[in-house]
Amino acid sequence: MTSSETPVLGLSGAAFGYDGNPVVSGVDLTVSRGEVVAVLGPNGSGKTTLVTGLLGLSEHLGGQVEILGTPLARLTDRTRLGYVPQRHTLGGGVRSTVSEVVATGLLASRPWWRPAGHTDRAAVERALDAVGLADRARFDVATLSGGQQRRVLIARALVAGPEVIVMDEPTAGVDRASQGVLAGVLQRLGRGGTTMLVVTHELAALRGVVDRIVEIDTGHVTFDGTPQAYADHQGEQARSVGRGAA
Ligand SMILES: Nc1ncnc2c1ncn2[C@@H]1O[C@H](COP(=O)(O)OP(=O)(O)OP(=O)(O)O)[C@@H](O)[C@H]1O
Ligand SMILES: [Mg+2]
């Protein structure tokens, strides 16, 4: 951990939802600088609602939410958070190169009238390098595999140099070999000190990457601890429903 004691994310009794109706509530969560936290839970439990709430994309309906020491409503510099959305595909009708897609991650930090300069191009190269796609910079994104497209989205989230990156199922829908490559990318980022909140159903693919696990069930945090403690917690659950349990 670095000098700053201010948590990257600080939630206390937080609630998020849609149209005034909370989907997740009573969330107490503190994430420190450099931590890699996996968010687990069944389909529909509220994982996406929670993480999009941190980005101002679902409604904040209660409790305190501080991001990098600033209350959510007052956070104006959105480039401090990188975001890789769930189920996002690239390459519909529009032809764009891999670099062009990654460069869109810089639009929030550069006025629209100022053309991309040398430093922007260098940032795009660095982000592509971080995800192992430097050699694909000039390819049409539509020609990339699903796993490579997920990596392009991670590069897009990284390019503006965020202090925390939120990823919603970065390894979903990609084959096992690409999952391994993605896990390697996350591992390098984690070791480099990037704070990450990663929603996933594939914890096994992220073995050795994750410092902490937060489990969400029906809109509430049901576990928060180390991967080892989580394994014990699951063992307890298995025992409690197993044969001979009291
Ligand atoms: N835009 C929306 N408007 C209203 N309700 C929504 C919206 N998005 C999600 N919900 C509801 O919120 C609940 C939680 O959904 P959410 O997408 O957060 O779950 P999840 O844990 O991410 O599930 P999955 O593992 O399938 O991605 C669900 O009941 C869902 O129907
Ligand atoms: Mg989801």
Side-chain angles (χ1 to χ4, degrees):
M1 209 184 298
T2 53
S3 58
S4 173
E5 290 302 312
T6 309
V8 172
L9 303 174
L11 283 71
S12 165
F16 301 98
Y18 308 93
D19 304 320
N21 302 311
V23 167
V24 287
S25 59
V27 178
D28 296 322
L29 177 67
T30 304
V31 177
S32 303
R33 208 164 277 276
E35 268 192 300
V36 180
V37 179
V39 179
L40 310 181
N43 291 127
S45 55
K47 303 179 299 296
T48 294
T49 304
L50 171 64
V51 300
T52 52
L54 302 173
L55 297 145
L57 301 173
S58 68
E59 284 169 29
H60 176 200
L61 296 169
Q64 272 84 53
V65 180
E66 289 204 349
I67 299 185
L68 300 155
T70 306
L72 180 60
R74 284 204 269 123
L75 187 79
T76 49
D77 185 0
R78 296 280 165 189
T79 63
R80 298 178 75 188
L81 270 90
Y83 175 47
V84 180
Q86 184 176 14
R87 281 188 215 102
H88 193 95
T89 50
L90 287 166
V94 185
R95 293 176 74 86
S96 323
T97 66
V98 166
S99 324
E100 283 165 351
V101 171
V102 174
T104 61
L106 290 167
L107 292 177
S109 56
R110 171 162 57 82
W112 59 269
W113 43 263
R114 187 167 65 75
H118 177 72
T119 44
D120 289 351
R121 283 195 293 275
V124 169
E125 274 170 34
R126 264 201 314 279
L128 280 173
D129 201 38
V131 300
L133 287 176
D135 59 338
R136 294 288 191 277
R138 290 175 194 286
F139 282 50
D140 182 338
V141 283
T143 66
L144 267 57
S145 72
Q148 288 172 329
Q149 292 194 1
R150 297 302 291 176
R151 283 192 273 154
V152 172
L153 291 171
I154 294 173
R156 186 183 67 175
L158 282 174
V159 69
E163 286 162 79
V164 52
I165 144 163
V166 175
M167 300 187 223
D168 201 348
E169 307 209 15
T171 58
V174 302
D175 62 46
R176 197 167 292 206
S178 309
Q179 276 189 7
V181 174
L182 275 166
V185 168
L186 300 198
Q187 187 147 41
R188 276 202 305 282
L189 292 175
R191 288 193 179 143
T194 305
T195 310
M196 286 184 274
L197 195 62
V198 186
V199 177
T200 187
H201 284 285
E202 284 123 350
L203 190 60
L206 298 179
R207 198 179 300 279
V209 179
V210 167
D211 300 312
R212 207 170 117 204
I213 289 170
V214 170
E215 181 190 66
I216 312 281
D217 202 350
T218 53
H220 298 284
V221 173
T222 47
F223 177 86
D224 183 349
T226 62
Q228 178 57 51
Y230 185 68
D232 296 344
H233 163 79
Q234 280 187 308
E236 270 161 35
Q237 280 184 327
R239 277 192 293 281
S240 72
V241 297
R243 252 190 314 166

